Amino acid sequence: MQTKNVDAVVVGADRVCANGDTANKIGTYNVSIVAAFHKVPFYVAAPITSLDINLSSGDDIPIEERSADELISTSKAPNNVPCWNPAFDVTPAANITGIVTEKGVILPDGSGNFDVKGFV
């Protein structure tokens, strides 16, 4: 995004909360920050089945934590080094321009949150 003419970023999501916070593979949150810094629109594409109105925000999303051995065995880190290995991260609704679904695009309300209930 720093050196190319990027018009938009589109990522997937495994879960979308009622307020628009999303969970996706680790690193998605970082990309949303870079997009915001470079003023590039950041869209999440997800099927309606990923919308979970029972979760009010990303704080409610259970994040799978994988074994530390998965990281240590693929790096040069010493054995038994403590590490945290989450499989997903949460992108806050404030970093998201729109959520693209098969029923249309959900846009944020005036407060920067999304009301996904109307799409479920």
Side-chain angles (χ1 to χ4, degrees), residues 4-113:
K4 303 286 183 202
N5 187 17
V6 176
D7 294 323
V9 173
V10 181
V11 299
D14 291 296
R15 237 168 185 176
V16 179
C17 298
N19 75 337
D21 291 349
T22 63
N24 197 41
K25 305 301 179 268
I26 200 76
T28 305
Y29 171 62
N30 296 7
V31 174
S32 78
I33 293 170
V34 174
F37 180 83
H38 291 290
K39 297 175 179 49
V40 173
F42 183 88
Y43 291 92
V44 172
I48 293 297
T49 55
S50 293
L51 305 182
D52 190 342
I53 61 171
N54 296 315
L55 300 174
S56 60
S57 75
D59 293 336
D60 300 328
I61 299 172
I63 301 297
E64 174 190 348
E65 294 184 22
R66 295 185 177 161
S67 166
D69 292 337
E70 182 180 297
L71 288 178
I72 293 170
S73 67
T74 59
S75 72
K76 296 186 187 230
N79 288 334
N80 302 320
V81 146
C83 66
W84 179 50
N85 188 15
F88 302 93
D89 57 23
V90 175
T91 300
N95 292 12
I96 300 170
T97 305
I99 300 168
V100 181
T101 74
E102 67 271 27
K103 290 187 177 181
V105 179
I106 308 169
L107 297 173
D109 60 22
S111 69
N113 287 322

